[in-house]
Amino acid sequence: MSAEKLRLDKYLWAIRIFKTRTQAAAACDTGKVKMNGAAVKAARAVGIGDVYEIKTEAKRWKIEVTGLLANRVQYTEAIKYYVDVTPEDDQQFNQRIAASFHTGKRPSKIGRPTKKERRDLDDFMQED
């Protein structure tokens, strides 16, 4: 595949916006990737200078393509192939989402009792 004809889903995967190419293609199909306000398909050819608006679960992006990258590389290398031109208000929105992100871990000493607490509770209930 030549560098001049690079699919959008492959490019978004290569620059590490999406973890898998399937996720990148699905985002294109569901209208979460836009160019000039219009949804674009996953097979669209990427060109240098194109500006895309991308919505992921964690963040809203607005990127400008500065180079074509066909294969996935390290993050430090991948960021050289686009410029993040996300407006200031969307960046604040992204920070609010990150601040409220739930990891799934329960806070310490809240919730289920420890084994010792459970034994003490059982002993207390048995005394009646």
Side-chain angles (χ1 to χ4, degrees):
M1 182 181 241
S2 65
E4 289 83 32
K5 295 205 176 197
L6 180 63
R7 289 175 56 104
L8 178 59
D9 61 342
K10 191 167 185 180
Y11 175 77
L12 294 175
W13 165 76
I15 63 170
R16 297 181 168 268
I17 299 235
F18 293 99
K19 281 189 178 183
T20 65
R21 189 168 164 191
T22 305
Q23 287 177 340
C28 292
D29 292 340
T30 57
K32 294 187 176 176
V33 180
K34 296 182 179 183
M35 180 177 181
N36 299 327
V40 291
K41 293 185 178 180
R44 179 182 176 83
V46 177
I48 295 175
D50 290 351
V51 177
Y52 295 101
E53 297 172 27
I54 305 155
K55 284 185 187 176
T56 62
E57 289 183 24
K59 189 173 178 181
R60 287 185 190 164
W61 301 77
K62 188 168 185 181
I63 62 165
E64 181 177 350
V65 179
T66 58
L68 301 179
L69 181 63
N71 296 323
R72 196 166 169 100
V73 293
Q74 273 185 317
Y75 174 76
T76 54
E77 290 296 314
I79 60 174
K80 297 175 184 173
Y81 291 88
Y82 69 93
V83 176
D84 189 357
V85 290
T86 307
E88 192 68 34
D89 56 336
D90 281 347
Q91 287 179 354
Q92 290 173 353
F93 172 78
N94 293 337
Q95 289 172 351
R96 279 196 305 271
I97 288 178
S100 66
F101 183 67
H102 181 62
T103 62
K105 289 186 87 176
R106 190 175 58 245
S108 178
K109 298 181 179 56
I110 296 176
R112 296 178 60 182
T114 62
K115 284 184 176 180
K116 182 182 182 321
E117 290 171 341
R118 179 48 117 182
R119 285 192 302 268
D120 291 343
L121 186 61
D122 287 343
D123 289 343
F124 176 76
M125 295 303 281
Q126 293 295 327
E127 290 178 3
D128 288 346

